[in-house]
Amino acid sequence: MSKQSPLPVIAEECCAPLAREPISKDDAAELAKVLKAVADPVRLRLLSLIAARDEETCVCDLLPEFDLSQPTISHHLKTLREAGLIGSERRGTWVYSWVIPQALDRLSALFATAKEEAGVR
């Protein structure tokens, strides 16, 4: 299983910065799915926790961070996976997850300004 799989819901030509040019109707619909996935506080925190690690993260390591059941955490991870933000792999009884860097890069690019693209802060 490839850990660097491309984001399936966002086309390669997508993600011109919003500040520079408007995105197409189709790209907006696809991006809305991704943004909806991270709009939930639990999913945003899960994504953050997984991204902060340099290695794959077991769902068993995420459980103590939340006052939620394992099935609920697994549901949120599935939503992030279906949005193309994380990859995962089952190993025995546990599932290990990792962030797909290209997915975060594309989201970052979407909100980049012309100054940021030019390297100006």
Side-chain angles (χ1 to χ4, degrees), residues 23-44:
I23 60 176
S24 73
K25 187 177 184 180
D26 291 339
D27 287 342
E30 293 301 321
L31 281 166
K33 294 175 189 175
V34 175
L35 293 171
K36 184 177 179 179
V38 296
D40 180 272
V42 171
R43 289 192 290 267
L44 187 57

Side-chain angles (χ1 to χ4, degrees), residues 82-93:
E82 288 174 347
L85 294 165
I86 64 170
S88 66
E89 178 179 79
R90 179 171 291 283
R91 297 184 195 152
T93 58

Side-chain angles (χ1 to χ4, degrees), residues 52-114:
R53 296 178 181 235
D54 289 335
E55 57 190 17
E56 299 166 350
T57 305
C58 178
V59 68
C60 61
D61 294 327
L62 298 169
L63 290 172
E65 298 291 333
F66 298 91
D67 193 23
L68 299 169
S69 68
Q70 183 272 327
T72 300
I73 295 296
S74 293
H75 167 75
H76 285 296
L77 290 171
K78 179 182 176 189
T79 301
L80 292 171
R81 189 175 60 252
E82 288 174 347
L85 294 165
I86 64 170
S88 66
E89 178 179 79
R90 179 171 291 283
R91 297 184 195 152
T93 58
W94 296 108
V95 174
Y96 288 77
S97 301
W98 57 87
V99 168
I100 298 174
Q102 300 91 331
L104 297 184
D105 291 345
R106 288 180 181 152
L107 284 176
S108 294
L110 177 66
F111 297 106
T113 65

